[in-house]
Amino acid sequence: MKKAKTILLVDDDKELCELLGQFLQQHQYQVLCAYDGASAIKMIKEKQIDLVLLDLMLACEDGLEICKLIRQDSKVPVIMLTAMKGDSEKILGLEYGADDYITKPFNNRELLARIRAVLRRVYPEK
């Protein structure tokens, strides 16, 4: 039996983290939550994280900078979750190292499909 992939959800909205975490757990993912960038970076360094869902607009931090910090030490896939819908924000997110970008509000099934697509690409089944 293969081990469940671990997703780190980085968002300062604790209610969203809880609801999205429950949804992802129902689909056999382990979910960890970080409510700020420092906690996220620490978890990535200390735990086996398979994918990061990163909010672009954290309360006190810039998600782009957090993505850049993640990319300095890790190749873990990052999907940006954000309310910012402009093309320039999407382009910046991808240029800073995100593997995908989805805008809020989003359909949970679409997010799940994007997660699965990124994980298939990064961790191909043998």
Side-chain angles (χ1 to χ4, degrees), residues 16-28:
L16 174 75
C17 286
E18 185 176 324
L19 292 172
L20 188 52
Q22 289 172 359
F23 173 77
L24 293 170
Q25 287 170 347
Q26 290 171 354
H27 291 277
Q28 286 23 130

Side-chain angles (χ1 to χ4, degrees), residues 46-100:
E46 294 177 357
K47 300 185 182 299
Q48 175 60 46
I49 305 296
D50 297 299
L51 183 134
V52 177
L53 295 176
L54 176 62
D55 184 14
L56 193 58
M57 296 187 311
L58 297 168
C60 299
E61 298 162 294
D62 179 354
L64 290 173
E65 289 302 316
I66 302 304
C67 188
K68 195 155 82 169
L69 288 171
I70 291 170
R71 283 293 166 253
Q72 287 176 359
D73 298 318
S74 175
K75 294 192 182 302
V76 65
V78 176
I79 298 176
M80 294 254 179
L81 301 178
T82 182
M84 300 175 80
K85 297 178 185 341
D87 287 342
S88 61
E89 288 88 3
K90 292 177 187 177
I91 292 165
L92 269 178
L94 295 167
E95 286 180 350
Y96 270 64
D99 296 276
D100 201 353

